[in-house]
Amino acid sequence: MQRPGAGGLVEGRARTGRPRATSRAELERIGFELFERRGFDAVTVDDIATAAGIGRRTFFRYYASKNDLVWGDFEGHLVWLRKLLAAVPVDVPAMTGLRTAIVEFNRFDPATVPWHRRRMELILHMPALQADSTLRYAAWRGIVTDFAAARTGLLPTDPGPTLTGHVALATSVAAYELWLRDDSSNLVELLDDAFGRLASGL
């Protein structure tokens, strides 16, 4: 899921002798380890930077805030979602195409699944992140709305596409909530089932 950030950090070693972090993914790993041990609210940007062996200014070259670190490369993933939807053949029904694209969008390498689970636990359940969630999910919803509008020849602001965007987001969040409740569950299967239920009228 994670993609490397642009540029590299200054070479050297932290005062503790630990090698400096060298990527966005490494900073996220360190941040999530601290969140798990201390709790999200108790961890500061300075804590993450110190643990990574970098300065505060260097941290901000990668992330604008602690909240941004939790979301990772969200903008990059939105680009991918838009590409997946744009690739849906015109002869495929819109709901079928939407279901396929969103399932594929949420397909992760098994090695990254535990990290993604930690990420989503914070995003969905941490009060301090709810404002960010509202803004970022609005961007996700907008991409789905644009897809629905293009397939129906309507405007994104029309009732049909608007409803499609909201319902697709709610369906995805519901599948994630089910996934987080059961460690043995499969996210892709839950999403596919949820959108199948949606397509058949629940």
Side-chain angles (χ1 to χ4, degrees):
M1 176 179 180
Q2 303 310 315
R3 295 177 174 84
L9 302 183
V10 179
E11 295 180 357
R13 299 180 72 84
R15 289 189 295 272
T16 60
R18 176 178 182 164
R20 292 180 184 270
T22 56
S23 69
R24 289 168 60 100
E26 178 66 4
L27 283 176
E28 288 177 25
R29 184 189 67 77
I30 291 169
F32 275 88
E33 287 179 352
L34 290 173
F35 299 152
E36 190 168 13
R37 290 203 305 267
R38 305 182 192 174
F40 179 80
D41 290 332
V43 176
T44 66
V45 166
D46 288 333
D47 292 333
I48 299 170
T50 298
I54 61 175
R56 179 183 176 89
R57 290 178 62 184
T58 302
F59 176 93
F60 287 123
R61 293 176 193 168
Y62 286 80
Y63 298 101
S65 68
K66 180 177 68 171
N67 290 11
D68 281 344
L69 181 146
V70 174
W71 284 91
D73 186 22
F74 186 72
E75 294 301 321
H77 293 308
L78 290 184
V79 171
W80 184 32
L81 177 60
R82 194 177 290 278
K83 287 181 179 179
L84 286 171
L85 290 170
V88 175
V90 294
D91 59 341
V92 172
M95 183 54 70
T96 301
L98 180 60
R99 176 182 182 179
T100 301
I102 290 180
V103 167
E104 184 61 31
F105 178 71
N106 288 280
R107 194 184 300 278
F108 299 97
D109 186 306
T112 69
V113 169
W115 289 103
H116 187 51
R117 185 180 288 274
R118 293 183 188 181
R119 185 188 306 279
M120 295 308 298
E121 283 279 8
L122 286 174
I123 288 172
L124 292 177
H125 302 145
M126 180 57 59
L129 290 169
Q130 294 313 297
D132 276 344
S133 296
T134 298
L135 293 174
R136 294 177 194 260
Y137 282 144
W140 186 99
R141 190 176 64 238
I143 291 173
V144 175
T145 300
D146 288 344
F147 167 76
R151 292 300 296 265
T152 58
L154 299 172
L155 295 174
T157 52
D158 285 338
T162 297
L163 181 61
T164 299
H166 279 271
V167 171
L169 177 59
T171 303
S172 297
V173 170
Y176 264 95
E177 290 285 8
L178 291 169
W179 180 57
L180 293 175
R181 292 176 195 167
D182 182 359
D183 290 345
S184 66
S185 61
N186 183 290
L187 176 60
V188 166
E189 292 176 358
L190 288 170
L191 282 162
D192 189 56
D193 178 68
F195 276 88
R197 289 172 182 268
L198 181 64
S200 63
L202 302 178

